[in-house]
Amino acid sequence: MSDIEKWEVEDPTFWESEGKKVANRNLWISIPSLLCGFAVWLYWGIITVQMLNIGFPFAKAELFTLMSIAGLTGATLRIPSSFFIRLAGGRNTIVFTTAVLIIPAVGTGIALQDVNTPLWVFQILALLSGLGGGNFASSMSNISFFYPKKKQGLALGLNAGLGNFGVTTMQILVPLAMTFGLFGGEPMTLVTTSGTLIGKIPAGSETWIHNAGYVWLLFLVPLMVIGWWGMNNLKASHVTPDLPGPVTSFSIITGMLLIGLITSTVGLWLMLPEAVNGSGWGIPKELVLACVVGATVMLLKFLPGKIGKNLEHQYKIFNNPHTWVMSIIYTMTFGSFIGFAAAFPLAIKVIFGYQHIMVNGVMTHDVINDQGPSALMYAWMGAFIGALIRPLGGWIADRLGGAKVTQVCAVVMTGSALGVAYYMKAAYASATPQDYFVEFLVLFLILFAATGIGNGSTFRTISIVFNKEQAGPVLGWTSAIAAYGAFYIPKVLGEQISATTPEVALFGFATFYAICIGVNWWFYLRKGAEFHNP
């Protein structure tokens, strides 16, 4: 019963009699599975803040690299994940990719129990956390096959938007879970103020930081069982016509994930400084990212047997110029959402949690600011708004057109990014940075809201521009490229904070958004465009 051979959702009779019930069941199992994927992928944004609060012996720049490592790996793993559904089936893919998240969750819990755990251990765990980021591509590709085109905007918006709530859920749940001994173990002592959604936690309090990893076992194990018994593989010709057995499916997925992990590891080594276990060669990150993407795509193509041939068929999406256009536009929206969600907590801590004062004629940024806001009190707000509003973006786009909604979002993102840059610069040169926090927070939340609406409208555009065979792989591919924002934004922000010019990062992002306004207008809003306001 888990394998369905006839699947014709564009037929209204089939949809109402059979399709809707099956599609909705798969959607509502997919959503919490994806939620946990996002949580495990991005929990380093919260864990690193608490590591600073406890006094783990790492520099701020080293902690930013943990988020960058998870970000790059998660994005790269979306490339093979884009093609899992065609090769291994929906149920097989979602169950297996949910189950493997247990590995980084348990490993993180173990490593955090010792303040002397070396940096390279955390780097490996951050690499494995990227498995959760890769899940988005296969999840969205899977759900796109279950719904007719006129229903895809809302369905994909719900799956992505509520799945994105994994970031918010994590940013609320992890700080709370660290306040008591849920899984036993010895607590650590805060050396600086921490906090939760409820309020500040004073220095000297006990914290169970290892719960940040273990708590996800409460969700991953049940979801693995529910997915196995409740989800379906679609054996229709346009989905998975040559469905292998579960063991073979799991082997295919494992092999393809290993390719992504290997290319990510090599890319990170080439890019990172020697002080954080990299090569120290100083190769530009943009060049390395291009090489990682290209190597991953090529290595997948050379896989033996039907896998390589099947991928070669699916790679036809790269001959469509709209694949590349939508990759740029979705990087603007989702890349910004996921990148800022990863960097937001530590950025609050570093910019507003310390006083920026002159000492012997030199500006310093290491004096703790007792009046500063707790990053863990506010970190959840941006991702919460962006995820909550994403289904609304899909719903509005279904009625007004996706490109028009995306254009408004791009304008708002440009303006709010410039505003954030202004207040970020002011705060990082002040002995009382908290004076600028409210304006910084409000503008950042507006920026998050615009990314959320734009995420929904962009996916609606993809579902209209591409046919039913290409839409799924394109959704996966564009989400893979956009997910590099989870690497790029924390990396750039960390570099600019180290250079004492954090506002430069936001000026750069605003420039990119302005370019996207032109790209979106040229391809989808100007008179004579091949697809007008899709």
Side-chain angles (χ1 to χ4, degrees), residues 171-186:
Q171 291 173 338
I172 293 174
L173 180 60
V174 166
L176 290 171
M178 292 189 293
T179 61
F180 62 102
L182 178 62
F183 296 94
E186 292 297 319

Side-chain angles (χ1 to χ4, degrees), residues 136-156:
F136 182 84
S138 54
S139 179
M140 295 300 287
S141 178
N142 185 46
I143 292 303
S144 73
F145 289 122
F146 276 95
Y147 285 85
K149 280 199 172 187
K150 66 179 181 180
K151 302 285 185 181
Q152 283 186 8
L154 180 58
L156 293 172

Side-chain angles (χ1 to χ4, degrees), residues 78-385:
R78 289 188 178 195
I79 298 173
S81 296
S82 303
F83 309 106
F84 285 169
I85 306 305
R86 179 81 176 181
L87 296 168
R91 181 188 73 151
N92 296 345
T93 296
I94 304 303
V95 170
F96 182 76
T97 54
T98 300
V100 295
L101 297 179
I102 294 173
I103 299 171
V106 171
T108 299
I110 295 171
L112 287 171
Q113 292 185 64
D114 184 0
V115 73
N116 295 312
T117 300
L119 180 65
W120 66 265
V121 173
F122 288 114
Q123 290 177 319
I124 290 174
L125 291 168
L127 188 85
L128 294 175
S129 294
L131 291 165
N135 290 359
F136 182 84
S138 54
S139 179
M140 295 300 287
S141 178
N142 185 46
I143 292 303
S144 73
F145 289 122
F146 276 95
Y147 285 85
K149 280 199 172 187
K150 66 179 181 180
K151 302 285 185 181
Q152 283 186 8
L154 180 58
L156 293 172
L158 284 170
N159 191 54
L162 297 180
N164 288 169
F165 260 112
V167 184
T168 303
T169 303
M170 174 273 296
Q171 291 173 338
I172 293 174
L173 180 60
V174 166
L176 290 171
M178 292 189 293
T179 61
F180 62 102
L182 178 62
F183 296 94
E186 292 297 319
M188 295 184 181
T189 303
L190 294 171
V191 297
T192 62
T193 301
S194 183
T196 67
L197 174 70
I198 301 170
K200 285 189 174 182
I201 300 175
S205 301
E206 292 183 333
T207 181
W208 288 260
I209 189 173
H210 53 276
N211 288 352
Y214 290 145
V215 71
W216 301 106
L217 300 179
L218 300 177
F219 307 98
L220 292 171
V221 174
L223 282 170
M224 183 174 61
V225 176
I226 293 169
W228 182 256
W229 292 106
M231 298 192 78
N232 300 97
N233 299 307
L234 301 179
K235 295 181 69 176
S237 59
H238 64 287
V239 188
T240 318
D242 301 315
L243 178 69
V247 175
T248 304
S249 294
F250 300 159
S251 300
I252 291 170
I253 294 170
T254 300
M256 295 173 71
L257 287 175
L258 283 174
I259 288 174
L261 287 170
I262 291 169
T263 56
S264 296
T265 302
V266 173
L268 287 163
W269 181 77
L270 290 171
M271 190 185 322
L272 291 175
E274 191 174 359
V276 289
N277 303 313
S279 66
W281 294 347
I283 301 176
K285 51 187 170 294
E286 294 82 4
L287 176 61
V288 173
L289 288 182
C291 291
V292 168
V293 172
T296 305
V297 170
M298 290 303 298
L299 288 172
L300 288 171
K301 187 176 180 180
F302 290 132
L303 285 171
K306 291 184 178 180
I307 301 175
K309 292 180 180 179
N310 201 311
L311 285 174
E312 190 171 346
H313 174 73
Q314 294 189 71
Y315 279 5
K316 289 179 180 178
I317 63 172
F318 300 135
N319 297 327
N320 190 331
H322 293 284
T323 298
W324 304 103
V325 173
M326 294 310 304
S327 296
I328 294 170
I329 294 174
Y330 194 54
T331 297
M332 174 188 69
T333 58
F334 181 76
S336 297
F337 168 82
I338 206 66
F340 288 133
F344 194 43
L346 196 54
I348 293 175
K349 175 70 177 179
V350 171
I351 294 172
F352 297 95
Y354 296 87
Q355 292 180 302
H356 313 290
I357 55 178
M358 298 293 291
V359 177
N360 297 324
V362 178
M363 178 65 76
T364 63
H365 307 277
D366 298 317
V367 178
I368 294 173
N369 179 19
D370 293 330
Q371 302 302 313
S374 168
L376 301 187
M377 283 181 64
Y378 298 97
W380 61 275
M381 292 182 178
F384 174 80
I385 290 174

Side-chain angles (χ1 to χ4, degrees), residues 492-509:
V492 171
L493 201 51
E495 290 172 352
Q496 292 303 320
I497 285 175
S498 296
T500 70
T501 54
E503 72 280 0
V504 171
L506 272 295
F507 287 140
F509 302 147

